Amino acid sequence: MNYRHAFHAGNFADVVKHTVLVRIIDYLKRKEKAFRVIDTHAGTGLYDLSREEAQRTGEWRDGIARLVTTKIEGEAASLFRPLLDSVLAVNQGNEVTRYPGSPLLVRHLLRRQDRLTAIELHPQDVAALKTLFAGDHQVRVIELDGWLALGAHVPPKEKRGLVLVDPPFEKSGEFERLVDGLKRAYRRWPGGIYALWYPIKDRAAVAAFRQALKESGVPDILDISLEIRPPSPEPRLDGTGMLVVNPPYVLGRELEILLPVLARTLGERGASRFSLTQLTGEAPVSP
């Protein structure tokens, strides 16, 4: 299940993932108090869609390129605007030739009091991140296994914010690591918001993953999924999922507006479908 991101930057999975990410950050900005975003698998931060890796797959053409050129009206347009503005900020005009990874996208949305911790293990990617954010006092780049960060870097000193876990799925066992990592982090910081990305490719593995989350003991897990086509005969990335723990109270309503637009825009020949499922209930309130 290799998901080396340079080949897939800006694809439909990125669009869905970053739509959710932006809406969470927009909610955090409603309060003046500072927050921190911890990106555990940060990648390089910026992807050149003209390079051989992106051109080989061309997945961004059916992802961000479609969204940028689609006429979106009403409330959906205002909800998508921060994402589209962030993408266009690294491009010239409306032509998309570069795509911001999650750390650069987050950085574009931060206020002066907010902070980003970008964590990456791959040496070349870490070097690219450090170059990208050189001299930026609001961003800390750390060379570290992202799974270790879930134990070592939560809670942040701000005691408010988001942990984004977006593993590359280059190795087997990533679903199990997601569940274990979430449980470990939640024990240390139960008040944080967690957003975890996963691919919809092996349907049996996804079903087992969701069941493990239901049995994890972690409350208030919202499961967001979008499939752009029916299951393929051979395993391929047919859909994308995001889990949000402690989701903002407005997120479900916003996604009810945004997911139909994403399904129409990104789906193949009208075969897309989406879902919003509350996997676990909210934590009981102490008397």
Side-chain angles (χ1 to χ4, degrees), residues 168-207:
F169 279 80
E170 292 180 308
K171 301 177 181 179
S172 61
E174 296 285 57
F175 283 119
E176 292 79 6
R177 291 186 188 94
L178 276 175
V179 176
D180 292 343
L182 174 60
K183 290 193 293 187
R184 184 169 66 251
Y186 187 83
R187 285 194 296 268
R188 291 177 59 89
W189 190 29
I193 300 174
Y194 299 85
L196 295 80
W197 177 82
Y198 66 92
I200 298 177
K201 185 173 183 180
D202 180 336
R203 294 309 199 281
V206 170

Side-chain angles (χ1 to χ4, degrees), residues 80-108:
F80 275 122
R81 180 47 49 195
L83 171 61
L84 295 176
D85 285 348
S86 299
V87 172
L88 295 177
V90 298
N91 289 280
Q92 298 293 325
N94 288 328
E95 183 180 0
V96 179
T97 60
R98 302 198 297 174
Y99 189 79
S102 52
L104 190 57
L105 180 63
V106 168
R107 180 63 186 94
H108 186 262

